[in-house]
Amino acid sequence: MKDLKWISIGILTAMIIYALGHMVREDASNIMNSITNRFSQEDSILTIGRTNGSIALDPAVVTDQESLRVTVNIYDNLVTYDKTGVALKPSLAENWSVSEDGLVWHFTIRRNVVFHDGSKLDADAVVFNFNRWMDATSPYHAGRFIYWNMNFGGFPGIVESVQSLSSDTVEIVLSKPYAPFLNTLAMPAFGIASPEAIMKYNEDLKYKPVGTGPFIFKSWEENGEIILERNNAYWSEKAKVSQLVFKTISDPKERIRQLKSGEILIADNLTYEDISLIKNSEHILLINRSFFNVGYLAMNMNNENLKIKAVRQAISHVIDKKMLVQVAFDGSARPATTFVPPILWGYNESIKSATFDIEFAKKLLNGVEKGDGFEIKLLVMEEPRTYFPKPAILARFIQESLAGVNIKVTVETRPWEEVLKRGQNGDYEMILAGWNGDVADPDNFLYNLFSSENAVTGTITNYAFYSNPQVDNLLRLSRQTTDQSFRNSIYRDIQELVVRDTPAIPLVHTIPTIGINRRVSGYVTNISGLEPLNHISLSKEDS
């Protein structure tokens, strides 16, 4: 019995030792996993190299992509799009409903969400933001709220009232139905900011942004570098990297060098020359966005020469778009026939570009006593844009093309920020302009670019100062019906009217190319070009 007792004790001891050893191994494994996770989640920095810097970080008062590319990571909207930018889904509003007449909207605000400054998100905070955007008399309506103006038709425009019905319910009343309403609220311009931060900083909010998004603003250096840090209290999918760094690298060769060396991990809007330098690199993946933009030549119809339709039509006939694509886009763009991208519903495929015909152009000019030509100025940005990677070469091509019919073009090349301001104020005769789609709705292109409501000095997006009552009526009608088939036919008609009047000339749709280091995983292109980056993770450098 004594021997049996000691045998039992020995077996029990062995079992305990085995169990303890197994636990130690599990703990060791967990520790290693923790270390790995700490690398990926706490010590990883995603650095993005851009050719242009941001203008401001208050999404309500900017229109440029380089600013919005940063702010989509700081702010959340009531509703948002999925990663691809196609399907709507809830964000700060958990759900919503609309009355049968399409005028009264109710939004249920998500609970237990806090701004980066620690203040609470509730219905009153949402109402505060709307009042700031829509009320031109508000002391916090500081800056140019261009997106509000061009989508809602002024201040307050079609929004009659916004009020909180409870701590988590917001009611928005419209004066007329607005079919793209939810799409509009998903635009980056309508990110919800901390009311406390707005009151504290007011117009300086554009330098000190405070939202509820997956990243928190840390710094904006003099060299243009912007640093964001992970928001560990984020209500949704927390960021997998500890920091986002947006670097401005104006020298294209230096940007490619840093992409190849791993100093930056993402570089977008790559040119043909850029691609040729990295296409064989085993460490870099090249991906393309969709055709979701338009680059065009806008002609100010207040000009004594450009107000004549025959003159504008003549100009359209001297621009050889096929040659233009080869010369200014290295053959990597699609000639545009209209202002709606071909991937978007509402695109009118029956419209053809004006034929390249110099003799016909001369005939048009002679018919309005402009055969001897005239002088005109063309405003163009210095820096490359998504839709114009080589703006100087493009401007020279247009200059030489118009010289063929005795139109002498003086090219005014200016920094992008100056071009943007002059564009908004109508301070130009002709301007090279472009539009990157915000949402998958033709209204985002046609209303913004050609509604007479968007030709108000200070907030201009209708750079041609185009005013056609028939087009205006059709644009309004398309906004007030939810029947997409009917809206589709309206937009097709609008495109035909615009092409007939030729207030502007659609030149190209481009396919932006992005270079991504293979350490980056989880990157999904958004058709708008504005991606929240909280779902991206990084592998170790030696993997």
Side-chain angles (χ1 to χ4, degrees):
M1 292 295 293
K2 186 184 289 188
D3 291 340
L4 183 59
K5 177 182 178 180
W6 284 111
I7 290 172
S8 299
I9 292 172
I11 293 173
L12 180 60
T13 302
M15 291 175 64
I16 293 171
I17 291 171
Y18 172 80
L20 287 172
H22 183 68
M23 289 170 63
V24 169
R25 285 194 298 273
E26 278 197 331
D27 285 343
S29 177
N30 289 337
I31 290 170
M32 291 306 296
N33 287 335
S34 175
I35 291 172
T36 302
N37 288 336
R38 285 181 65 86
F39 167 79
S40 62
Q41 303 220 353
E42 294 188 14
D43 300 325
S44 51
I45 299 174
L46 176 61
T47 305
I48 299 147
R50 312 182 292 171
T51 54
N52 302 307
S54 300
I55 293 176
L57 297 182
D58 178 357
V61 298
V62 295
T63 60
D64 67 297
Q65 273 216 324
E66 294 304 340
S67 296
L68 296 174
R69 185 168 285 134
V70 179
T71 65
V72 294
N73 291 283
I74 300 172
Y75 292 94
D76 292 316
N77 295 46
L78 291 181
V79 295
T80 190
Y81 275 93
D82 64 5
K83 292 177 183 179
T84 64
V86 176
L88 281 169
K89 66 177 187 177
S91 184
L92 294 182
E94 291 184 306
N95 54 68
W96 53 85
S97 62
V98 60
S99 60
E100 289 187 7
D101 60 8
L103 298 179
V104 182
W105 292 78
H106 289 144
F107 293 88
T108 302
I109 306 306
R110 192 177 298 277
R111 297 183 178 184
N112 301 318
V113 176
V114 295
F115 291 100
H116 300 156
D117 59 7
S119 59
K120 181 182 178 181
L121 171 76
D122 57 15
D124 287 338
V126 173
V127 172
F128 187 97
N129 276 265
F130 271 83
N131 286 335
R132 176 189 180 230
W133 301 330
M134 64 191 274
D135 182 2
T137 66
S138 167
Y140 306 111
H141 187 86
R144 295 181 176 182
F145 293 76
I146 292 175
Y147 264 98
W148 181 276
N149 179 70
M150 69 183 177
N151 285 287
F152 295 109
F155 304 100
I158 64 171
V159 180
E160 282 193 351
S161 66
V162 182
Q163 63 177 326
S164 57
L165 301 184
S166 67
S167 63
D168 63 353
T169 304
V170 172
E171 179 185 80
I172 301 176
V173 179
L174 308 179
S175 61
K176 59 186 69 175
Y178 179 33
F181 186 53
L182 287 178
N183 290 332
T184 299
L185 293 184
M187 292 181 185
F190 303 113
I192 304 298
S194 161
E196 290 190 11
I198 294 171
M199 290 185 286
K200 180 178 180 180
Y201 300 120
N202 204 357
E203 191 167 5
D204 282 346
L205 186 73
K206 61 187 177 183
Y207 305 121
K208 300 173 182 179
V210 181
T212 61
F215 289 92
I216 299 171
F217 174 75
K218 180 183 179 183
S219 64
W220 191 345
E221 307 299 331
E222 290 186 3
N223 63 5
E225 182 174 288
I226 296 171
I227 300 176
L228 309 183
E229 293 184 329
R230 181 175 59 237
N231 177 8
N232 290 315
Y234 189 48
W235 60 270
S236 187
E237 181 183 357
K238 291 181 175 58
K240 295 176 174 60
V241 297
S242 59
Q243 282 189 348
L244 291 182
V245 178
F246 294 87
K247 293 180 67 174
T248 301
I249 309 171
S250 57
D251 183 342
K253 291 184 179 179
E254 174 61 17
R255 193 165 71 121
I256 293 304
R257 185 197 69 75
Q258 291 194 29
L259 180 62
K260 292 174 73 174
S261 70
E263 294 170 65
I264 62 174
L265 300 179
I266 297 177
D268 57 6
N269 299 332
L270 299 180
T271 65
Y272 179 81
E273 289 87 350
D274 295 336
I275 294 169
S276 66
L277 293 173
I278 59 177
K279 64 181 179 180
N280 295 322
S281 173
E282 61 181 18
H283 301 298
I284 300 170
L285 177 68
L286 294 173
I287 59 176
N288 294 324
R289 298 191 190 279
S290 301
F291 289 110
F292 201 56
N293 58 33
V294 61
Y296 61 98
L297 173 66
M299 296 170 280
N300 188 333
M301 292 172 63
N302 291 327
N303 178 272
E304 62 177 283
N305 293 305
L306 299 177
K307 68 182 180 183
I308 304 170
K309 182 164 76 170
V311 170
R312 301 194 303 273
Q313 290 175 329
I315 292 173
S316 73
H317 283 286
V318 300
I319 297 177
D320 184 346
K321 291 183 184 177
K322 290 183 179 179
M323 183 61 69
L324 177 149
V325 166
Q326 295 302 317
V327 172
F329 297 87
D330 300 307
S332 60
R334 173 172 175 159
T337 59
T338 181
F339 295 87
V340 175
I343 67 166
L344 185 59
W345 64 273
Y347 170 72
N348 191 334
E349 73 288 342
S350 68
I351 295 176
K352 307 300 179 185
S353 288
T355 56
F356 174 59
D357 191 332
I358 293 178
E359 293 307 312
F360 182 63
K362 289 179 178 179
K363 183 178 179 181
L364 286 171
L365 292 171
N366 286 328
V368 292
E369 300 182 351
K370 294 292 180 181
D372 292 334
F374 53 86
E375 296 183 359
I376 202 80
K377 295 178 181 178
L378 173 61
L379 182 61
V380 59
M381 67 287 292
E382 289 179 350
E383 303 88 347
R385 309 302 298 169
T386 303
Y387 37 80
F388 293 146
K390 298 179 179 179
I393 294 176
L394 175 59
R396 186 162 62 249
F397 182 91
I398 292 173
Q399 181 184 49
E400 293 172 356
S401 297
L402 271 62
V405 288
N406 300 319
I407 299 176
K408 183 180 178 181
V409 177
T410 299
V411 176
E412 295 182 290
T413 304
R414 298 289 186 271
W416 167 240
E417 190 168 356
E418 180 182 336
V419 171
L420 197 58
K421 288 181 180 178
R422 288 181 60 179
Q424 293 166 359
N425 289 317
D427 181 18
Y428 53 86
E429 295 176 340
M430 296 195 301
I431 183 172
L432 280 177
W435 188 260
N436 294 295
D438 298 294
V439 294
D441 195 304
D443 177 83
N444 186 237
F445 286 85
L446 296 176
Y447 181 82
N448 293 344
L449 301 185
F450 297 111
S451 169
S452 63
E453 293 178 343
N454 288 321
V456 179
T457 300
T459 58
I460 294 169
T461 56
N462 175 354
Y463 292 134
F465 284 88
Y466 178 59
S467 180
N468 181 328
Q470 186 179 1
V471 169
D472 283 341
N473 287 334
L474 288 173
L475 286 169
R476 282 192 287 268
L477 180 61
S478 66
R479 292 181 138 209
Q480 294 174 23
T481 177
T482 57
D483 184 336
Q484 186 164 319
S485 177
F486 183 41
R487 296 183 72 211
N488 185 78
S489 66
I490 293 174
Y491 289 129
R492 290 173 64 90
D493 290 343
I494 291 171
Q495 289 166 77
E496 290 181 358
L497 291 169
V498 170
V499 168
R500 183 194 67 189
D501 290 340
T502 322
I505 302 170
L507 298 175
V508 293
H509 305 290
T510 61
I511 315 176
T513 300
I514 310 161
I516 300 178
N517 189 294
R518 290 186 182 274
R519 289 182 57 209
V520 176
S521 62
Y523 187 91
V524 179
T525 59
N526 185 299
I527 58 172
S528 71
L530 306 173
E531 294 98 359
L533 302 173
N534 52 313
H535 53 276
I536 286 183
S537 59
L538 302 178
S539 62
K540 290 184 178 181
E541 294 187 44
D542 58 355
S543 62

